[in-house]
Amino acid sequence: MSATITPQKPSNPIANTLTSGQLPRRIELYVLLGALALSAVLLLLIGFNIAGWLVLAAVIYLIALGILSSVVETRRKATDRVVRGLVTVAFLLALAPLISTLYTVFSKGIGVINWNFITQTSASVFNPDTLEVTTQVGAWQAIVGTLIITGIAALISIPIGILTAIYLVEYAQPKQWLARTVTFLVDVMTGIPSIVAGLFAFSLFSIIVGPKAFSGFSASVALSVLMIPIVVRSCEEMLRLVPMDLREASFALGVSRFSTITKIVLPTAIAGIVTGVMLAIARVIGETAPIFMAASFTDNFNSNPFDGPMQTLPVMAYTGYKFPGQDIAASNDSAWGAALLLVFLVVILNLIARVVAKVFAPKGSR
Amino acid sequence: MSENTAVKSAKNANETTATGAASASTPGSAPTGGSRKVRAKSRPADRIFFGLSVGSAISIMVILAGVALFLIIQAVPAIVADWPSNGDLNEGPTAGFANFWSYVGPLIWGTLFASAIALVIGAPIAIGIALFISHYAPRRLAGALGYLVDLLAAVPSIVFGLWGIIVIRPFLLPLSDWLNTYLGWIPLFGGTVSTTGSTILAGGVVLAVMILPIITSISREIFLQTPRLHEEAALALGATKWEMIKLAVFPYGRSGVISATLLGLGRALGETMAIALIISPAILVSVRMLTEGENSQTIAANIALNFPIATTLQREALIGTGLLLFVISLAVNMLARVIAGRAGASANRKRKAMLAQLPPSDPSTVLAVDDVLAKRHAAEDVERSEEASVEQTESEIDEEKRKGTDA
C-alpha cells in the first residue's frame, strides 16, 4: 500500500475481497493429498514409517497451504487457514495416543487372557509325577481384590458424596461460609495427588493398627479420599439440573423439605446421579499408586479386606513390570493381561453409565 | 391431615408445628418480628436428614484436615532427624544426604521439571483441541469428538505407563538422537543420549497425554460460553475466524484457560505411574532430558519405587516428601481456583460479560454431565426451532394485521 493518495483512476479494477483472489473450494483436500503423496515419496527415499509419513505430510500441508493462500489470497486469510490446519492437527494428535494405547493393550493382552487366567490365582505348582515346578499365571486374586477394595470405597464415598451435594444444592445459601468453604475444598480435593491419598491411608492405619498395616480396607479409605470429591461434584451438577419449578411446586403444596428432596428431587436426578457415580467408580478403579501404598501387593488370594496385603489389577500390572518374578517375560505378559482386564472393567462401567443416562432419563424432559 | 399445612401465614404455620408431633423448638420457626416467613412443617426426619447432610459437608473438611495432620505426624520424625548420624537413614534409598531438605530439594526440582515438560507439550495441544471442538468442528460432530478426548481421561494411568514403556520410549529414540546431534549445545538436549529411551522426555510426553483431557474439557466449556454477540460483532467487522477468536474468544476465556492449565499442572505434579515405570531416575538437579542416568526423579515416582523396600524411618522420610507434594499441589490448585474466582468477582463488579465460575474440573464429571445432557440438548434444539417457527408465524400474523389496519 503506497502512502500517497493518487487522484487518478486506478489502473486495474478495485479488488473486492469477497470475490477476488479466492482459492478453489476443495483446495484443502487437494493440498492434503499432495502433501501425503510428496511426503510418501520423500520418505521412501530414506526409509518409510507411518508416524514420520503423517508428521511430514502435516508439515508440508501447513506450509504449502500457507504459501498458496498468501500468494493468491491475503495474508490474513493465509493465517486463518494455517490456524485451522494447526487446530485440526492438534485434535488428530490427541486421537493418536488414544488409539495407540487401546491397540497396544488389546494386542498385548488378548493373548494372555483366557479362562484360566481369569479364574486361577498366581502360584507355583509342583507336579509330583514330573518333579517340575511350573508357575501358574492367574489374575483371580487381583480381580477379587479390585472388586472388594473399589466396592468398599464406593460404599464409603457414595453416601457422603450425595449427602454433601444435597447440602450444597438444597440446604445451603450460596453466600453461607460453610457452603463456600466446602465448595472450595471439594474443588481443591479433586486435585489431591493420588499417591498422597495412599500415604494418608497408610499413615492413618499405621498409627491405629501399628507398622506394616497393609490391608484392603486401608486402600478403600485412600480411594474414598479421591472418590468423594468426584461424587460430590457430579451429584451437585445433576441436582442443579433439576428445575426449580418442581421444588417450588412441592413446597407450595406444603410438602416438607425432606420429602421434597427424597420424593421429587432425587427421583428426577437419579439417572444423572447413577451415571456420575459409575464414572467416579471407573475413575478410581484404575488408580494404582494409592492401592500400592495402602494394600501393598501379593500373589496370594486374600478376600479379607481387614487383614494383610491384597492384590488388585492395576497393582498387578505395575508390579509385573517393576518387580517381576523369576520368569520376567511371564510377569510382563501377566501385567498386560491385568491391564486389559482393567480396561474391560472401565469400559463396562462407562457403558453402564451411558445406558443409565439414556434409559432412565427423567420422563418429564422428553 | 397433617400434610395440609400448605402455605399459610407464619402464625398459622407456627401453630401447626406446635400442635404437631414435632417439638416446636426449631430455631427457624420462631416468630421473628414482622417478617412473615413461610416454612414447611419441620419433622424429625427432616432434621435428621439436614443433620446428616451438614455432617457430610463437614466431614469433607475433616478428611482434608486429616490428610494433612496424619502426614505431618508421620513425617516429623524423619524431618527433624540427624541424617548422617542416623544408621537407618544413612543406608538404602536415603543414603548420603545431609538432612531432609537436601534429600527433598532435587525431588521437588524433578517434579517441577517433568510437569513443565508435560505442560509445554500438552497445554498448547489441549487448547488447540478445545478450540477445534468448540469453534472448528462441524456442530453435529462436536459432541462426539469431545467425548473421544474425554475418554482419554478414562484410561487408567497404569495403562498409559505400560504404553509409554512399549510405544513411546522407542518412538522418541530417533528424535532424541536428532535433538542431541543438532541442538546438543543447549543444556536441555546435552549429555550422552540414552539407548533405551528411559528419559524424562519420554515421561514428560506420557504426562502430557494424561493432562490433555483435563485442560481440554475445561477450556472447551469456557470457549463455548463466549457471548455470541461478541463473536458475531467481530465477524460482522470482517474478521476472519482466527481474528474473531483472537478478538472475542481469547479475551473472554483468558483467566479460565490459565486456571485450566494450572489444574493440568496439578494433575501432572501428582502423577506417579508414568514416571515410575518409564524413566531411569537419579536424585539430582539436572536439566538434561535425553540421558540415561541424569533424569531428575519426581517425588511421586520416588515414593512408589522405594516404599516397598524402605525401613520404618525411611518410610517416614518418604511420607515427608509426600507431604511437600501435597502442599505444592494444593497451592497450585488453590491458585487456579483463586484466579478463576477473582476474574468472576471482578466481572460481577464491572457487570462485564466474563466467566463466573470454573466448569467441573474432573473429566469424569464432565463425561457424566455430557451423558445426561446429550438427550436434553437434542430436545432443546427441537424446542428452539419450534419456538422460532412459532415466532415467525406470529410476526407474520402481526404484519398481516397491520396491513389490514393500514388498509
Side-chain angles (χ1 to χ4, degrees):
Chain A
M1 278 208 184
S2 56
T4 52
I5 301 162
T6 45
Q8 70 259 42
K9 220 172 144 189
S11 51
N12 49 340
I14 299 164
N16 180 350
T17 49
L18 289 180
T19 56
S20 72
Q22 278 199 342
L23 289 168
R25 261 185 68 216
R26 295 288 176 93
I27 184 70
E28 285 167 344
L29 186 65
Y30 301 146
V31 175
L32 180 62
L33 290 178
L36 285 173
L38 182 60
S39 114
V41 170
L42 281 179
L43 274 188
L44 280 176
L45 297 178
I46 46 171
F48 188 81
N49 67 349
I50 289 189
W53 175 51
L54 293 176
V55 169
L56 190 62
V59 172
I60 295 176
Y61 168 77
L62 289 175
I63 293 175
L65 195 65
I67 292 175
L68 217 65
S69 175
S70 58
V71 168
V72 180
E73 302 174 331
T74 57
R75 275 192 69 166
R76 290 170 51 212
K77 279 209 167 170
T79 323
D80 188 47
R81 281 182 190 276
V82 170
V83 169
R84 178 187 294 266
L86 275 176
V87 166
T88 316
V89 166
F91 177 75
L92 296 178
L93 215 56
L95 288 191
L98 182 65
I99 295 166
S100 167
T101 309
L102 294 181
Y103 171 76
T104 315
V105 176
F106 272 95
S107 60
K108 287 264 178 190
I110 203 77
V112 183
I113 290 188
N114 50 37
W115 188 244
N116 287 340
F117 183 73
I118 296 175
T119 53
Q120 284 179 345
T121 57
S122 299
S124 300
V125 182
F126 177 68
N127 188 337
D129 295 332
T130 56
L131 297 178
E132 271 178 4
V133 178
T134 50
T135 47
Q136 175 181 309
V137 183
W140 179 237
Q141 79 281 11
I143 296 172
V144 171
T146 297
L147 294 180
I148 290 177
I149 289 178
T150 320
I152 296 177
L155 281 182
I156 300 173
S157 332
I158 293 172
I160 295 183
I162 294 182
L163 283 170
T164 307
I166 288 176
Y167 168 75
L168 288 175
V169 178
E170 305 293 329
Y171 284 110
Q173 307 295 322
K175 301 263 171 185
Q176 222 173 330
W177 71 269
L178 181 63
R180 283 173 54 187
T181 319
V182 169
T183 310
F184 184 74
L185 289 184
V186 166
D187 279 343
V188 168
M189 232 171 130
T190 49
I192 290 187
S194 59
I195 197 157
V196 170
L199 289 177
F200 157 68
F202 176 81
S203 308
L204 178 69
F205 281 85
S206 63
I207 288 173
I208 296 175
V209 185
K212 305 261 174 199
F214 299 115
S215 71
F217 184 68
S218 159
S220 300
V221 169
L223 288 188
S224 312
V225 172
L226 300 169
M227 193 171 160
I228 288 172
I230 304 177
V231 176
V232 172
R233 207 67 177 83
S234 299
C235 293
E236 211 189 323
E237 296 290 321
M238 298 307 164
L239 291 176
R240 287 195 200 284
L241 287 176
V242 176
M244 213 55 200
D245 307 357
L246 288 182
R247 297 189 186 100
E248 283 162 4
S250 169
F251 291 146
L253 290 172
V255 180
S256 70
R257 203 165 264 266
F258 169 68
S259 306
T260 307
I261 293 169
T262 50
K263 301 237 168 74
I264 309 286
V265 177
L266 286 182
T268 315
I270 193 70
I273 291 177
V274 174
T275 305
V277 166
M278 283 294 165
L279 290 173
I281 296 175
R283 173 91 172 65
V284 295
I285 207 171
E287 286 292 353
T288 316
I291 302 179
F292 184 64
M293 300 289 103
S296 194
F297 61 99
T298 172
D299 268 348
N300 302 326
F301 182 83
N302 175 15
S303 61
N304 178 5
F306 296 99
D307 185 38
M310 217 166 178
Q311 183 75 313
T312 52
L313 286 172
V315 173
M316 186 177 166
Y318 173 61
T319 51
Y321 252 89
K322 212 65 200 182
F323 307 97
Q326 288 188 333
D327 188 350
I328 293 180
S331 287
N332 289 357
D333 279 350
S334 68
W336 283 107
L340 183 56
L341 282 181
L342 188 62
V343 169
F344 277 143
L345 277 179
V346 171
V347 168
I348 290 172
L349 284 167
N350 270 278
L351 284 181
I352 294 177
R354 286 228 101 176
V355 169
V356 166
K358 280 248 155 61
V359 176
F360 298 101
K363 281 146 203 137
S365 74
R366 277 198 254 186
Chain B
M1 292 303 278
S2 65
E3 296 288 329
N4 270 343
T5 50
V7 185
K8 296 177 182 174
S9 69
K11 202 179 156 196
N12 274 354
N14 279 332
E15 273 172 15
T16 42
T17 20
T19 53
S23 57
S25 60
T26 45
S29 61
T32 46
S35 78
R36 297 168 64 82
K37 275 193 179 170
V38 180
R39 277 184 180 272
K41 198 177 125 188
S42 168
R43 256 161 294 154
D46 223 356
R47 262 169 292 144
I48 291 170
F49 193 64
F50 177 69
L52 275 177
S53 59
V54 174
S56 306
I58 290 173
S59 75
I60 301 267
M61 293 197 252
V62 174
I63 291 172
L64 209 55
V67 171
L69 186 70
F70 282 105
L71 288 184
I72 291 172
I73 291 176
Q74 285 278 295
V76 162
I79 294 177
V80 298
D82 184 35
W83 283 42
S85 65
N86 191 313
D88 214 4
L89 283 172
N90 208 6
E91 58 176 28
T94 55
F97 292 95
N99 55 34
F100 176 72
W101 303 106
S102 70
Y103 177 61
V104 80
L107 289 174
I108 291 180
W109 161 255
T111 308
L112 295 177
F113 188 52
S115 314
I117 296 173
L119 216 53
V120 166
I121 300 172
I125 296 179
I127 294 169
I129 299 167
L131 260 188
F132 177 79
I133 294 171
S134 68
H135 282 86
Y136 282 96
R139 193 59 66 75
R140 292 195 178 280
L141 284 180
L145 298 180
Y147 190 79
L148 275 182
V149 178
D150 287 340
L151 269 189
L152 265 182
V155 178
S157 61
I158 181 72
V159 174
F160 275 124
L162 294 179
W163 172 71
I165 292 183
I166 289 284
V167 178
I168 286 295
R169 284 196 322 177
F171 179 75
L172 286 178
L173 276 180
L175 180 70
S176 307
D177 283 335
W178 187 87
L179 284 174
N180 184 258
T181 318
Y182 296 101
L183 298 172
W185 49 273
I186 303 174
L188 286 178
F189 307 125
T192 335
V193 180
S194 157
T195 49
T196 57
S198 305
T199 61
I200 200 166
L201 178 67
V205 169
V206 176
L207 276 189
V209 173
M210 296 168 85
I211 64 173
L212 276 184
I214 184 169
I215 304 182
T216 300
S217 65
I218 301 176
S219 307
R220 183 185 75 196
E221 291 299 314
I222 290 163
F223 289 153
L224 283 174
Q225 286 173 18
T226 314
R228 201 63 193 276
L229 286 177
H230 291 197
E231 296 178 8
E232 284 169 0
L235 290 174
L237 288 172
T240 61
K241 192 157 208 171
W242 168 238
E243 287 165 346
M244 179 273 279
I245 288 169
K246 274 199 299 186
L247 285 170
V249 179
F250 281 162
Y252 173 80
R254 187 178 296 127
S255 67
V257 171
I258 292 173
S259 300
T261 311
L262 281 175
L263 290 177
L265 174 66
R267 175 65 55 89
L269 288 172
E271 199 45 66
T272 314
M273 284 306 144
I275 300 287
L277 278 171
I278 290 170
I279 77 172
S280 62
I283 299 180
L284 46 78
V285 177
S286 152
V287 293
R288 293 186 170 164
M289 306 200 315
L290 307 174
T291 58
E292 185 81 49
E294 287 177 86
N295 298 308
S296 303
Q297 176 70 306
T298 69
I299 292 178
N302 184 51
I303 297 173
L305 288 180
N306 291 325
F307 207 74
I309 54 170
T311 60
T312 307
L313 200 55
Q314 289 168 356
R315 223 165 240 172
E316 284 166 1
L318 291 175
I319 292 175
T321 62
L323 177 66
L324 281 179
L325 176 65
F326 178 59
V327 171
I328 293 172
S329 68
L330 218 56
V332 168
N333 270 282
M334 284 185 175
L335 186 65
R337 305 286 166 189
V338 167
I339 287 176
R342 183 174 298 163
S346 74
N348 282 345
R349 221 180 303 124
K350 292 179 197 160
R351 302 252 165 109
K352 240 165 84 183
M354 270 289 221
L355 194 71
Q357 207 208 337
L358 218 55
S361 63
D362 197 279
S364 60
T365 308
V366 178
L367 262 182
V369 175
D370 280 355
D371 274 356
V372 172
L373 285 188
K375 223 178 149 191
R376 200 168 293 193
H377 277 318
E380 272 173 11
D381 282 348
V382 173
E383 222 165 74
R384 207 171 295 146
S385 60
E386 275 172 7
E387 268 172 22
S389 64
V390 168
E391 269 171 27
Q392 208 178 349
T393 47
E394 273 177 0
S395 63
E396 276 168 14
I397 293 169
D398 280 355
E399 230 162 74
E400 276 170 20
K401 269 187 192 167
R402 216 173 298 139
K403 274 179 193 164
T405 50
D406 282 352

